[in-house]
Every structure is written in C-alpha cells, then in structure tokens.
Amino acid sequence: MKCSKCSEKAVFLVPKFCKKHFIDYFEKKVFETIKKFSLVNPKEKIVVACSGGKDSTAVLYLLKKFHKKVVALAIDEGIFGYRNKTLIDLKKFCSKNNIELRIYSFEKEFGKTLDEMLKQKQHPCSVCGIFRRYLMNKYARGFGKIATGHNMDDESQAVLMNLMKGNVDLLWHSVPMTKKVGNFVQRIKPLYFCSEKEVAAYALLKGFEVSFNECLYIKDSFRNQVRDALNNYELENSGTKLNILKKHLLMLEKIKFETSFFQYCSVCDEPAKEDICKACQLIKSFK
Ligand code: SF4
C-alpha cells in the first residue's frame, strides 16, 4: 500500500502515510495544538512530567524541538519491575538529548514505596495518583507550566470516567491547558488530539528506546474498564474518541468556570479541599 502523498510504502494506515509523511503529519498536529491553545509562552521554562514511556518521551522530545526551554521531572513511585525499568530508558534519553532530569521518589518523600504502601490495603491507582500529583505540583513550582503526555485516548477516558462518577469539577482538567487556580501549576497536554496509536507509531518511527509495557496495577483500575469499553466502541464507530473531546470542549465553552473551594493544607501548605490535604491524610494513615 502506497503513501497518499508520495510513492513510498505506507507505514500507517489511517491516514495513509509513509514514515516521512507520518512524522511530518504528527509533528504538525502537535505544534498546531501548542499554537492554537497558546500552551507555551516564549519566556517560560516548561517542566515535562516524564515516566520513560512513549507518550511523555514524545512530549519531551517535541517540546524540546519547539520550545527548547524544558526540564524533565520524573516521580519514582517504587513499582518494582516497572518504574525502575522505565527510568533507565528515561535517563538514557535525557542524557542523549542533553535534557536536565530531576527524579523524586515516594520512598524518599513519604518513607515508603508504592509497593510497600499497598501492603496496607490501599487501592494502587488512587494512592499513586494522590502522591504523584502532590509531588509534581510541589516540584514544578517556579516553572511556567507542567506538560504531560496525556493523549486523546487518556483524555476521552477521563471525560467519561468523570461523567460516570459525577465528578463535574474534574471535567475542567480534561482540556489542552488547565486554568490558573491558586498555586496549582498549570498543566498543558500537547498530545490532546493525538490517538494512542499515533503516539506509539511516532515513538517507534523515531526510534525512541522506550518500553511499551504497562504498570501491572492498571488491571485493577476503573480506567481500564472504561478504556476497554471505549476501544471496543471506537472499533465499530471510528472517530468516537475525537468527538467526545470536541463536544466536551464545546460544552465547557458554554458553562462558567467555577473552582470548588480550596484552602492550603495546615500540615504541608499545599492546596487542599479540607484542612489537611489528601497526601498528608494518607501519610498519617501509614503511621
Ligand atoms: Fe500509578 Fe495506577 Fe498508573 Fe500504575 S497504573 S502508575 S499505580 S496510576
């Protein structure tokens, strides 16, 4: 099968492109998202939340190419057999591309790895999410924004999950750039309109040395159920994920942005919805 733009062999089917034209198409789409939603300001330094996986590595590479001023920030949750391996890939990538990498770990910050915390019967993804967001926000302070590798699949899943759970406030998080609220560092998602398949193809074609394995804890998660259902639906109804995001953005334009009330944690001074933030409540429960 031939590329729709030249006589080379197609390496990607929808759209039908050869290696060169697929890379051009993908990079153009990401750079257009950055420009259309004004994701970066020329003066600021961006911190990229990295895991060593394909999505965040692609964002790191493309933001370095587009904006130059980037630093990689990784959180080592302490998931044996998974995160230790992806961090090796990330260290190699950053050293090869001359990018500063900062790594913070659950063990050093909270006294236990995620694996050890789970021996206390906590749900892996909720514990992981609370502590990871906490550290990201804490260590990204002082930078212009945090860029994440969330792609179209992740974001359409998040919209459905929040609707299903009635988390209306969280719908405002599933956007290319979050609003500025208190001392939360704004998040940007340059891969918002790129499907998971497109990101995987880009990472492979660019020869990024990244692992395509997933964290073993994802199997138990609500996200995994929504992901499977949405993937099945997309198979029969192509374009569903993109439609969810387009309609979601249109809907947000028509409603007023209201932040739920938040204050600062009386223990650590980070943003909190209650007197003590979720991270400090969890740390207390481990004692
Ligand atoms: Fe953390 Fe869950 Fe993601 Fe694993 S799947 S890295 S436990 S949020």
Side-chain angles (χ1 to χ4, degrees):
M1 206 176 290
K2 291 249 159 66
C3 171
S4 57
K5 294 210 170 199
C6 70
S7 58
E8 288 294 313
K9 189 174 160 223
V11 295
F12 199 82
L13 294 185
V14 186
K16 214 186 301 159
F17 285 141
C18 65
K19 179 176 174 181
K20 180 197 174 297
H21 285 115
F22 177 79
I23 290 174
D24 289 350
Y25 151 83
F26 185 87
E27 294 190 350
K28 191 169 167 232
K29 178 146 81 163
V30 175
F31 295 156
E32 276 174 359
T33 301
I34 295 175
K35 286 185 225 155
K36 180 172 175 197
F37 294 91
S38 307
L39 299 189
V40 296
N41 154 345
K43 288 190 186 144
E44 69 192 0
K45 204 169 194 177
I46 302 287
V47 65
V48 183
C50 290
S51 65
K54 65 181 189 322
D55 305 282
S56 54
T57 303
V59 167
L60 184 60
Y61 175 83
L62 289 167
L63 273 177
K64 174 97 195 306
K65 187 168 176 177
F66 183 88
H67 181 67
K68 311 275 185 294
K69 294 183 272 228
V70 292
V71 169
L73 175 62
I75 304 298
D76 180 0
E77 306 92 342
I79 304 173
F80 185 72
Y82 171 65
R83 184 62 72 223
N84 47 330
K85 292 185 180 162
T86 67
L87 287 179
I88 293 173
D89 294 335
L90 180 62
K91 282 178 195 163
K92 274 197 220 152
F93 184 86
C94 288
S95 134
K96 192 171 161 193
N97 290 279
N98 205 17
I99 296 171
E100 182 193 346
L101 169 63
R102 300 181 188 180
I103 302 180
Y104 299 94
S105 73
F106 280 16
E107 190 171 25
K108 206 156 178 203
E109 298 281 335
F110 307 120
K112 282 177 198 287
T113 64
L114 183 66
D115 291 341
E116 288 165 348
M117 290 173 188
L118 299 180
K119 289 184 184 134
Q120 311 201 5
K121 303 211 183 328
Q122 306 279 350
H123 187 279
C125 296
S126 53
V127 175
C128 182
I130 289 171
F131 284 141
R132 232 181 13 184
R133 278 192 298 275
Y134 177 91
L135 292 181
M136 280 290 169
N137 199 54
K138 182 172 169 186
Y139 289 109
R141 206 156 289 130
F143 288 93
K145 298 186 187 96
I146 307 178
T148 68
H150 291 98
N151 59 43
M152 186 203 291
D153 292 53
D154 302 322
E155 292 299 289
S156 52
Q157 289 155 18
V159 170
L160 289 187
M161 286 161 68
N162 286 322
L163 284 173
M164 287 159 95
K165 292 218 165 190
N167 294 330
V168 180
D169 278 3
L170 297 182
L171 288 170
W172 286 99
H173 293 200
S174 299
V175 290
M177 178 162 70
T178 58
K179 304 257 188 214
K180 207 162 173 28
V181 179
N183 70 354
F184 282 110
V185 183
Q186 270 181 293
R187 292 179 180 234
I188 57 169
K189 300 168 185 173
L191 304 183
Y192 192 85
F193 295 106
C194 302
S195 71
E196 176 121 37
K197 268 189 200 147
E198 289 178 327
V199 184
Y202 180 74
L204 279 171
L205 294 171
K206 291 293 289 181
F208 295 155
E209 289 177 34
V210 293
S211 157
F212 287 81
N213 292 340
E214 284 189 316
C215 171
L216 56 142
Y217 294 128
I218 191 135
K219 281 194 224 94
D220 304 326
S221 66
F222 175 46
R223 177 178 286 274
N224 201 36
Q225 294 172 19
V226 174
R227 179 173 71 172
D228 287 348
L230 194 49
N231 282 346
N232 286 336
Y233 196 79
E234 174 86 30
L235 268 181
E236 300 293 324
N237 303 276
S238 171
T240 298
K241 293 171 190 174
L242 181 59
N243 269 338
I244 290 174
L245 292 186
K246 283 185 172 168
K247 299 294 179 230
H248 167 67
L249 292 179
L250 267 180
M251 186 190 75
L252 291 185
E253 268 177 25
K254 294 184 198 307
I255 56 177
K256 197 167 152 246
F257 173 66
E258 277 178 10
T259 53
S260 55
F261 172 76
F262 79 92
Q263 51 195 322
Y264 292 96
C265 173
S266 58
V267 178
C268 67
D269 220 23
E270 288 294 312
K273 284 195 177 164
E274 298 155 82
D275 179 43
I276 299 180
C277 74
K278 285 266 185 283
C280 288
Q281 288 179 28
L282 269 176
I283 296 165
K284 210 170 150 203
S285 75
F286 296 147
K287 288 179 181 155

PDB file of all heavy atoms in Angstrom, residues 27-41 66 145 175-177 188-190 192-193 242 245-247 249-250 253:
ATOM      1  N   GLU A  27       3.989  15.716  13.878  1.00  0.00           N
ATOM      2  CA  GLU A  27       4.628  16.885  14.499  1.00  0.00           C
ATOM      3  C   GLU A  27       3.813  18.149  14.221  1.00  0.00           C
ATOM      4  O   GLU A  27       3.649  18.997  15.095  1.00  0.00           O
ATOM      5  CB  GLU A  27       6.072  17.032  13.990  1.00  0.00           C
ATOM      6  CG  GLU A  27       6.926  15.856  14.474  1.00  0.00           C
ATOM      7  CD  GLU A  27       8.421  16.032  14.237  1.00  0.00           C
ATOM      8  OE1 GLU A  27       8.810  16.980  13.528  1.00  0.00           O
ATOM      9  OE2 GLU A  27       9.201  15.196  14.769  1.00  0.00           O
ATOM     10  N   LYS A  28       3.277  18.238  13.001  1.00  0.00           N
ATOM     11  CA  LYS A  28       2.472  19.415  12.653  1.00  0.00           C
ATOM     12  C   LYS A  28       1.234  19.490  13.558  1.00  0.00           C
ATOM     13  O   LYS A  28       0.864  20.551  14.061  1.00  0.00           O
ATOM     14  CB  LYS A  28       2.055  19.306  11.174  1.00  0.00           C
ATOM     15  CG  LYS A  28       1.450  20.553  10.626  1.00  0.00           C
ATOM     16  CD  LYS A  28       1.307  20.459   9.113  1.00  0.00           C
ATOM     17  CE  LYS A  28       0.428  21.574   8.622  1.00  0.00           C
ATOM     18  NZ  LYS A  28      -0.662  21.172   7.784  1.00  0.00           N
ATOM     19  N   LYS A  29       0.609  18.316  13.779  1.00  0.00           N
ATOM     20  CA  LYS A  29      -0.593  18.301  14.616  1.00  0.00           C
ATOM     21  C   LYS A  29      -0.261  18.768  16.044  1.00  0.00           C
ATOM     22  O   LYS A  29      -0.990  19.563  16.625  1.00  0.00           O
ATOM     23  CB  LYS A  29      -1.174  16.878  14.621  1.00  0.00           C
ATOM     24  CG  LYS A  29      -2.395  16.732  15.485  1.00  0.00           C
ATOM     25  CD  LYS A  29      -3.413  15.751  14.962  1.00  0.00           C
ATOM     26  CE  LYS A  29      -3.138  14.320  15.246  1.00  0.00           C
ATOM     27  NZ  LYS A  29      -4.343  13.486  15.066  1.00  0.00           N
ATOM     28  N   VAL A  30       0.858  18.285  16.589  1.00  0.00           N
ATOM     29  CA  VAL A  30       1.228  18.675  17.959  1.00  0.00           C
ATOM     30  C   VAL A  30       1.579  20.177  18.010  1.00  0.00           C
ATOM     31  O   VAL A  30       1.116  20.906  18.884  1.00  0.00           O
ATOM     32  CB  VAL A  30       2.414  17.815  18.471  1.00  0.00           C
ATOM     33  CG1 VAL A  30       2.893  18.294  19.836  1.00  0.00           C
ATOM     34  CG2 VAL A  30       2.009  16.341  18.545  1.00  0.00           C
ATOM     35  N   PHE A  31       2.356  20.640  17.038  1.00  0.00           N
ATOM     36  CA  PHE A  31       2.758  22.052  17.057  1.00  0.00           C
ATOM     37  C   PHE A  31       1.546  22.971  16.850  1.00  0.00           C
ATOM     38  O   PHE A  31       1.466  24.057  17.415  1.00  0.00           O
ATOM     39  CB  PHE A  31       3.846  22.327  16.004  1.00  0.00           C
ATOM     40  CG  PHE A  31       5.153  21.602  16.301  1.00  0.00           C
ATOM     41  CD1 PHE A  31       6.055  21.309  15.293  1.00  0.00           C
ATOM     42  CD2 PHE A  31       5.480  21.222  17.593  1.00  0.00           C
ATOM     43  CE1 PHE A  31       7.251  20.642  15.566  1.00  0.00           C
ATOM     44  CE2 PHE A  31       6.666  20.553  17.883  1.00  0.00           C
ATOM     45  CZ  PHE A  31       7.551  20.261  16.864  1.00  0.00           C
ATOM     46  N   GLU A  32       0.577  22.510  16.049  1.00  0.00           N
ATOM     47  CA  GLU A  32      -0.639  23.323  15.866  1.00  0.00           C
ATOM     48  C   GLU A  32      -1.449  23.406  17.158  1.00  0.00           C
ATOM     49  O   GLU A  32      -2.024  24.443  17.468  1.00  0.00           O
ATOM     50  CB  GLU A  32      -1.499  22.753  14.733  1.00  0.00           C
ATOM     51  CG  GLU A  32      -1.014  23.268  13.382  1.00  0.00           C
ATOM     52  CD  GLU A  32      -1.718  22.640  12.202  1.00  0.00           C
ATOM     53  OE1 GLU A  32      -2.594  21.773  12.390  1.00  0.00           O
ATOM     54  OE2 GLU A  32      -1.370  23.019  11.066  1.00  0.00           O
ATOM     55  N   THR A  33      -1.488  22.297  17.905  1.00  0.00           N
ATOM     56  CA  THR A  33      -2.198  22.318  19.203  1.00  0.00           C
ATOM     57  C   THR A  33      -1.502  23.308  20.139  1.00  0.00           C
ATOM     58  O   THR A  33      -2.146  24.114  20.811  1.00  0.00           O
ATOM     59  CB  THR A  33      -2.204  20.896  19.836  1.00  0.00           C
ATOM     60  OG1 THR A  33      -2.836  20.004  18.940  1.00  0.00           O
ATOM     61  CG2 THR A  33      -2.928  20.880  21.168  1.00  0.00           C
ATOM     62  N   ILE A  34      -0.169  23.260  20.153  1.00  0.00           N
ATOM     63  CA  ILE A  34       0.585  24.182  21.036  1.00  0.00           C
ATOM     64  C   ILE A  34       0.257  25.637  20.671  1.00  0.00           C
ATOM     65  O   ILE A  34       0.005  26.474  21.540  1.00  0.00           O
ATOM     66  CB  ILE A  34       2.105  23.920  20.936  1.00  0.00           C
ATOM     67  CG1 ILE A  34       2.447  22.523  21.462  1.00  0.00           C
ATOM     68  CG2 ILE A  34       2.903  24.974  21.701  1.00  0.00           C
ATOM     69  CD1 ILE A  34       3.916  22.102  21.302  1.00  0.00           C
ATOM     70  N   LYS A  35       0.221  25.908  19.349  1.00  0.00           N
ATOM     71  CA  LYS A  35      -0.022  27.296  18.926  1.00  0.00           C
ATOM     72  C   LYS A  35      -1.477  27.701  19.152  1.00  0.00           C
ATOM     73  O   LYS A  35      -1.755  28.762  19.699  1.00  0.00           O
ATOM     74  CB  LYS A  35       0.333  27.459  17.447  1.00  0.00           C
ATOM     75  CG  LYS A  35       1.841  27.475  17.206  1.00  0.00           C
ATOM     76  CD  LYS A  35       2.133  27.748  15.751  1.00  0.00           C
ATOM     77  CE  LYS A  35       3.189  26.804  15.239  1.00  0.00           C
ATOM     78  NZ  LYS A  35       3.191  26.549  13.831  1.00  0.00           N
ATOM     79  N   LYS A  36      -2.418  26.847  18.728  1.00  0.00           N
ATOM     80  CA  LYS A  36      -3.845  27.190  18.807  1.00  0.00           C
ATOM     81  C   LYS A  36      -4.275  27.490  20.241  1.00  0.00           C
ATOM     82  O   LYS A  36      -5.047  28.407  20.494  1.00  0.00           O
ATOM     83  CB  LYS A  36      -4.672  26.033  18.249  1.00  0.00           C
ATOM     84  CG  LYS A  36      -6.156  26.287  18.282  1.00  0.00           C
ATOM     85  CD  LYS A  36      -6.952  25.239  17.552  1.00  0.00           C
ATOM     86  CE  LYS A  36      -8.426  25.526  17.753  1.00  0.00           C
ATOM     87  NZ  LYS A  36      -9.277  24.409  17.435  1.00  0.00           N
ATOM     88  N   PHE A  37      -3.781  26.704  21.220  1.00  0.00           N
ATOM     89  CA  PHE A  37      -4.220  26.900  22.605  1.00  0.00           C
ATOM     90  C   PHE A  37      -3.196  27.680  23.424  1.00  0.00           C
ATOM     91  O   PHE A  37      -3.291  27.742  24.645  1.00  0.00           O
ATOM     92  CB  PHE A  37      -4.513  25.528  23.260  1.00  0.00           C
ATOM     93  CG  PHE A  37      -5.692  24.824  22.633  1.00  0.00           C
ATOM     94  CD1 PHE A  37      -5.519  23.944  21.573  1.00  0.00           C
ATOM     95  CD2 PHE A  37      -6.982  25.075  23.084  1.00  0.00           C
ATOM     96  CE1 PHE A  37      -6.600  23.308  20.978  1.00  0.00           C
ATOM     97  CE2 PHE A  37      -8.075  24.443  22.498  1.00  0.00           C
ATOM     98  CZ  PHE A  37      -7.884  23.555  21.444  1.00  0.00           C
ATOM     99  N   SER A  38      -2.212  28.294  22.735  1.00  0.00           N
ATOM    100  CA  SER A  38      -1.153  29.085  23.398  1.00  0.00           C
ATOM    101  C   SER A  38      -0.590  28.352  24.616  1.00  0.00           C
ATOM    102  O   SER A  38      -0.558  28.866  25.732  1.00  0.00           O
ATOM    103  CB  SER A  38      -1.686  30.450  23.851  1.00  0.00           C
ATOM    104  OG  SER A  38      -2.290  31.106  22.799  1.00  0.00           O
ATOM    105  N   LEU A  39      -0.156  27.118  24.380  1.00  0.00           N
ATOM    106  CA  LEU A  39       0.286  26.282  25.502  1.00  0.00           C
ATOM    107  C   LEU A  39       1.595  26.752  26.117  1.00  0.00           C
ATOM    108  O   LEU A  39       1.841  26.519  27.297  1.00  0.00           O
ATOM    109  CB  LEU A  39       0.428  24.803  25.050  1.00  0.00           C
ATOM    110  CG  LEU A  39      -0.840  24.114  24.530  1.00  0.00           C
ATOM    111  CD1 LEU A  39      -0.591  22.618  24.350  1.00  0.00           C
ATOM    112  CD2 LEU A  39      -2.026  24.319  25.453  1.00  0.00           C
ATOM    113  N   VAL A  40       2.441  27.370  25.310  1.00  0.00           N
ATOM    114  CA  VAL A  40       3.699  27.851  25.899  1.00  0.00           C
ATOM    115  C   VAL A  40       3.922  29.323  25.583  1.00  0.00           C
ATOM    116  O   VAL A  40       3.467  29.824  24.563  1.00  0.00           O
ATOM    117  CB  VAL A  40       4.937  27.041  25.421  1.00  0.00           C
ATOM    118  CG1 VAL A  40       4.869  25.599  25.860  1.00  0.00           C
ATOM    119  CG2 VAL A  40       5.121  27.116  23.923  1.00  0.00           C
ATOM    120  N   ASN A  41       4.578  29.948  26.524  1.00  0.00           N
ATOM    121  CA  ASN A  41       4.899  31.355  26.351  1.00  0.00           C
ATOM    122  C   ASN A  41       6.420  31.395  26.150  1.00  0.00           C
ATOM    123  O   ASN A  41       7.148  30.703  26.857  1.00  0.00           O
ATOM    124  CB  ASN A  41       4.377  32.000  27.645  1.00  0.00           C
ATOM    125  CG  ASN A  41       5.028  33.257  28.064  1.00  0.00           C
ATOM    126  OD1 ASN A  41       6.106  33.629  27.582  1.00  0.00           O
ATOM    127  ND2 ASN A  41       4.403  33.910  29.004  1.00  0.00           N
ATOM    128  N   PHE A  66      10.384  22.329  19.827  1.00  0.00           N
ATOM    129  CA  PHE A  66       9.562  23.515  19.556  1.00  0.00           C
ATOM    130  C   PHE A  66       9.963  24.705  20.427  1.00  0.00           C
ATOM    131  O   PHE A  66       9.980  25.835  19.986  1.00  0.00           O
ATOM    132  CB  PHE A  66       8.094  23.166  19.835  1.00  0.00           C
ATOM    133  CG  PHE A  66       7.114  24.261  19.527  1.00  0.00           C
ATOM    134  CD1 PHE A  66       6.568  24.376  18.260  1.00  0.00           C
ATOM    135  CD2 PHE A  66       6.737  25.183  20.500  1.00  0.00           C
ATOM    136  CE1 PHE A  66       5.660  25.389  17.970  1.00  0.00           C
ATOM    137  CE2 PHE A  66       5.838  26.201  20.210  1.00  0.00           C
ATOM    138  CZ  PHE A  66       5.294  26.297  18.937  1.00  0.00           C
ATOM    139  N   LYS A 145       4.860  25.992  33.361  1.00  0.00           N
ATOM    140  CA  LYS A 145       3.762  25.013  33.295  1.00  0.00           C
ATOM    141  C   LYS A 145       4.327  23.597  33.390  1.00  0.00           C
ATOM    142  O   LYS A 145       5.518  23.390  33.200  1.00  0.00           O
ATOM    143  CB  LYS A 145       3.015  25.153  31.973  1.00  0.00           C
ATOM    144  CG  LYS A 145       2.363  26.514  31.814  1.00  0.00           C
ATOM    145  CD  LYS A 145       1.513  26.627  30.582  1.00  0.00           C
ATOM    146  CE  LYS A 145       1.034  28.054  30.410  1.00  0.00           C
ATOM    147  NZ  LYS A 145       1.879  28.826  29.507  1.00  0.00           N
ATOM    148  N   VAL A 175      -8.615  19.167  29.454  1.00  0.00           N
ATOM    149  CA  VAL A 175      -8.530  20.227  28.439  1.00  0.00           C
ATOM    150  C   VAL A 175      -7.056  20.347  28.010  1.00  0.00           C
ATOM    151  O   VAL A 175      -6.169  19.886  28.730  1.00  0.00           O
ATOM    152  CB  VAL A 175      -9.023  21.588  29.015  1.00  0.00           C
ATOM    153  CG1 VAL A 175     -10.522  21.576  29.238  1.00  0.00           C
ATOM    154  CG2 VAL A 175      -8.325  21.929  30.339  1.00  0.00           C
ATOM    155  N   PRO A 176      -6.791  20.980  26.867  1.00  0.00           N
ATOM    156  CA  PRO A 176      -5.383  21.114  26.454  1.00  0.00           C
ATOM    157  C   PRO A 176      -4.537  21.925  27.448  1.00  0.00           C
ATOM    158  O   PRO A 176      -3.352  21.671  27.608  1.00  0.00           O
ATOM    159  CB  PRO A 176      -5.471  21.827  25.103  1.00  0.00           C
ATOM    160  CG  PRO A 176      -6.837  21.498  24.595  1.00  0.00           C
ATOM    161  CD  PRO A 176      -7.716  21.427  25.810  1.00  0.00           C
ATOM    162  N   MET A 177      -5.176  22.901  28.136  1.00  0.00           N
ATOM    163  CA  MET A 177      -4.426  23.663  29.157  1.00  0.00           C
ATOM    164  C   MET A 177      -5.369  23.967  30.316  1.00  0.00           C
ATOM    165  O   MET A 177      -6.435  24.559  30.100  1.00  0.00           O
ATOM    166  CB  MET A 177      -3.875  24.972  28.580  1.00  0.00           C
ATOM    167  CG  MET A 177      -3.145  25.801  29.633  1.00  0.00           C
ATOM    168  SD  MET A 177      -2.050  27.052  28.931  1.00  0.00           S
ATOM    169  CE  MET A 177      -3.201  28.201  28.240  1.00  0.00           C
ATOM    170  N   ILE A 188      -0.314  21.456  30.737  1.00  0.00           N
ATOM    171  CA  ILE A 188      -0.575  21.510  29.297  1.00  0.00           C
ATOM    172  C   ILE A 188      -0.428  20.104  28.716  1.00  0.00           C
ATOM    173  O   ILE A 188       0.351  19.296  29.200  1.00  0.00           O
ATOM    174  CB  ILE A 188       0.355  22.515  28.568  1.00  0.00           C
ATOM    175  CG1 ILE A 188       1.837  22.193  28.804  1.00  0.00           C
ATOM    176  CG2 ILE A 188       0.037  23.941  28.957  1.00  0.00           C
ATOM    177  CD1 ILE A 188       2.785  22.986  27.907  1.00  0.00           C
ATOM    178  N   LYS A 189      -1.219  19.834  27.661  1.00  0.00           N
ATOM    179  CA  LYS A 189      -1.252  18.483  27.066  1.00  0.00           C
ATOM    180  C   LYS A 189      -1.106  18.581  25.555  1.00  0.00           C
ATOM    181  O   LYS A 189      -2.096  18.565  24.818  1.00  0.00           O
ATOM    182  CB  LYS A 189      -2.579  17.814  27.425  1.00  0.00           C
ATOM    183  CG  LYS A 189      -2.774  17.682  28.922  1.00  0.00           C
ATOM    184  CD  LYS A 189      -4.185  17.302  29.296  1.00  0.00           C
ATOM    185  CE  LYS A 189      -4.344  17.320  30.799  1.00  0.00           C
ATOM    186  NZ  LYS A 189      -5.729  17.121  31.237  1.00  0.00           N
ATOM    187  N   PRO A 190       0.120  18.679  25.069  1.00  0.00           N
ATOM    188  CA  PRO A 190       0.319  18.850  23.612  1.00  0.00           C
ATOM    189  C   PRO A 190      -0.187  17.670  22.765  1.00  0.00           C
ATOM    190  O   PRO A 190      -0.437  17.841  21.578  1.00  0.00           O
ATOM    191  CB  PRO A 190       1.846  19.002  23.486  1.00  0.00           C
ATOM    192  CG  PRO A 190       2.303  19.453  24.832  1.00  0.00           C
ATOM    193  CD  PRO A 190       1.387  18.811  25.813  1.00  0.00           C
ATOM    194  N   TYR A 192      -3.046  16.170  23.112  1.00  0.00           N
ATOM    195  CA  TYR A 192      -4.502  16.090  23.343  1.00  0.00           C
ATOM    196  C   TYR A 192      -5.264  15.525  22.140  1.00  0.00           C
ATOM    197  O   TYR A 192      -6.205  14.772  22.297  1.00  0.00           O
ATOM    198  CB  TYR A 192      -4.992  17.507  23.666  1.00  0.00           C
ATOM    199  CG  TYR A 192      -6.405  17.585  24.206  1.00  0.00           C
ATOM    200  CD1 TYR A 192      -6.654  17.401  25.566  1.00  0.00           C
ATOM    201  CD2 TYR A 192      -7.485  17.854  23.376  1.00  0.00           C
ATOM    202  CE1 TYR A 192      -7.940  17.496  26.074  1.00  0.00           C
ATOM    203  CE2 TYR A 192      -8.772  17.937  23.872  1.00  0.00           C
ATOM    204  CZ  TYR A 192      -8.988  17.757  25.233  1.00  0.00           C
ATOM    205  OH  TYR A 192     -10.273  17.838  25.727  1.00  0.00           O
ATOM    206  N   PHE A 193      -4.871  15.894  20.930  1.00  0.00           N
ATOM    207  CA  PHE A 193      -5.613  15.435  19.735  1.00  0.00           C
ATOM    208  C   PHE A 193      -4.921  14.277  19.014  1.00  0.00           C
ATOM    209  O   PHE A 193      -5.272  13.963  17.876  1.00  0.00           O
ATOM    210  CB  PHE A 193      -5.833  16.607  18.767  1.00  0.00           C
ATOM    211  CG  PHE A 193      -6.726  17.674  19.349  1.00  0.00           C
ATOM    212  CD1 PHE A 193      -6.205  18.882  19.784  1.00  0.00           C
ATOM    213  CD2 PHE A 193      -8.090  17.446  19.487  1.00  0.00           C
ATOM    214  CE1 PHE A 193      -7.030  19.850  20.346  1.00  0.00           C
ATOM    215  CE2 PHE A 193      -8.923  18.406  20.054  1.00  0.00           C
ATOM    216  CZ  PHE A 193      -8.383  19.616  20.481  1.00  0.00           C
ATOM    217  N   LEU A 242     -12.372  11.259  19.397  1.00  0.00           N
ATOM    218  CA  LEU A 242     -12.173  12.655  18.999  1.00  0.00           C
ATOM    219  C   LEU A 242     -13.467  13.448  19.204  1.00  0.00           C
ATOM    220  O   LEU A 242     -13.451  14.583  19.687  1.00  0.00           O
ATOM    221  CB  LEU A 242     -11.720  12.717  17.532  1.00  0.00           C
ATOM    222  CG  LEU A 242     -11.439  14.108  16.987  1.00  0.00           C
ATOM    223  CD1 LEU A 242     -10.341  14.807  17.793  1.00  0.00           C
ATOM    224  CD2 LEU A 242     -11.011  14.054  15.516  1.00  0.00           C
ATOM    225  N   LEU A 245     -14.021  14.488  22.775  1.00  0.00           N
ATOM    226  CA  LEU A 245     -13.211  15.645  23.192  1.00  0.00           C
ATOM    227  C   LEU A 245     -13.708  16.950  22.563  1.00  0.00           C
ATOM    228  O   LEU A 245     -13.768  17.982  23.226  1.00  0.00           O
ATOM    229  CB  LEU A 245     -11.738  15.417  22.854  1.00  0.00           C
ATOM    230  CG  LEU A 245     -11.056  14.320  23.662  1.00  0.00           C
ATOM    231  CD1 LEU A 245      -9.572  14.268  23.347  1.00  0.00           C
ATOM    232  CD2 LEU A 245     -11.263  14.526  25.168  1.00  0.00           C
ATOM    233  N   LYS A 246     -14.089  16.876  21.284  1.00  0.00           N
ATOM    234  CA  LYS A 246     -14.561  18.110  20.630  1.00  0.00           C
ATOM    235  C   LYS A 246     -15.839  18.611  21.298  1.00  0.00           C
ATOM    236  O   LYS A 246     -15.989  19.805  21.564  1.00  0.00           O
ATOM    237  CB  LYS A 246     -14.821  17.849  19.144  1.00  0.00           C
ATOM    238  CG  LYS A 246     -13.543  17.782  18.320  1.00  0.00           C
ATOM    239  CD  LYS A 246     -13.908  17.641  16.875  1.00  0.00           C
ATOM    240  CE  LYS A 246     -12.706  17.764  15.969  1.00  0.00           C
ATOM    241  NZ  LYS A 246     -13.026  17.357  14.598  1.00  0.00           N
ATOM    242  N   LYS A 247     -16.782  17.702  21.558  1.00  0.00           N
ATOM    243  CA  LYS A 247     -18.054  18.108  22.192  1.00  0.00           C
ATOM    244  C   LYS A 247     -17.804  18.560  23.630  1.00  0.00           C
ATOM    245  O   LYS A 247     -18.441  19.491  24.127  1.00  0.00           O
ATOM    246  CB  LYS A 247     -19.073  16.953  22.197  1.00  0.00           C
ATOM    247  CG  LYS A 247     -19.445  16.456  20.814  1.00  0.00           C
ATOM    248  CD  LYS A 247     -20.197  17.507  20.015  1.00  0.00           C
ATOM    249  CE  LYS A 247     -20.532  17.010  18.628  1.00  0.00           C
ATOM    250  NZ  LYS A 247     -20.180  17.889  17.543  1.00  0.00           N
ATOM    251  N   LEU A 249     -15.113  20.056  24.778  1.00  0.00           N
ATOM    252  CA  LEU A 249     -14.557  21.421  24.759  1.00  0.00           C
ATOM    253  C   LEU A 249     -15.640  22.436  24.419  1.00  0.00           C
ATOM    254  O   LEU A 249     -15.688  23.525  25.001  1.00  0.00           O
ATOM    255  CB  LEU A 249     -13.396  21.515  23.758  1.00  0.00           C
ATOM    256  CG  LEU A 249     -12.127  20.733  24.118  1.00  0.00           C
ATOM    257  CD1 LEU A 249     -11.057  20.892  23.048  1.00  0.00           C
ATOM    258  CD2 LEU A 249     -11.565  21.173  25.475  1.00  0.00           C
ATOM    259  N   LEU A 250     -16.541  22.071  23.497  1.00  0.00           N
ATOM    260  CA  LEU A 250     -17.648  22.974  23.146  1.00  0.00           C
ATOM    261  C   LEU A 250     -18.548  23.216  24.351  1.00  0.00           C
ATOM    262  O   LEU A 250     -18.974  24.341  24.608  1.00  0.00           O
ATOM    263  CB  LEU A 250     -18.498  22.339  22.043  1.00  0.00           C
ATOM    264  CG  LEU A 250     -18.153  22.684  20.610  1.00  0.00           C
ATOM    265  CD1 LEU A 250     -19.108  21.968  19.659  1.00  0.00           C
ATOM    266  CD2 LEU A 250     -18.235  24.192  20.386  1.00  0.00           C
ATOM    267  N   GLU A 253     -17.084  25.570  26.849  1.00  0.00           N
ATOM    268  CA  GLU A 253     -17.146  26.984  26.423  1.00  0.00           C
ATOM    269  C   GLU A 253     -18.452  27.630  26.853  1.00  0.00           C
ATOM    270  O   GLU A 253     -18.535  28.829  27.039  1.00  0.00           O
ATOM    271  CB  GLU A 253     -17.099  27.055  24.888  1.00  0.00           C
ATOM    272  CG  GLU A 253     -15.714  27.199  24.335  1.00  0.00           C
ATOM    273  CD  GLU A 253     -15.728  27.187  22.813  1.00  0.00           C
ATOM    274  OE1 GLU A 253     -16.754  27.542  22.205  1.00  0.00           O
ATOM    275  OE2 GLU A 253     -14.699  26.795  22.243  1.00  0.00           O
TER     276      GLU A 253
END
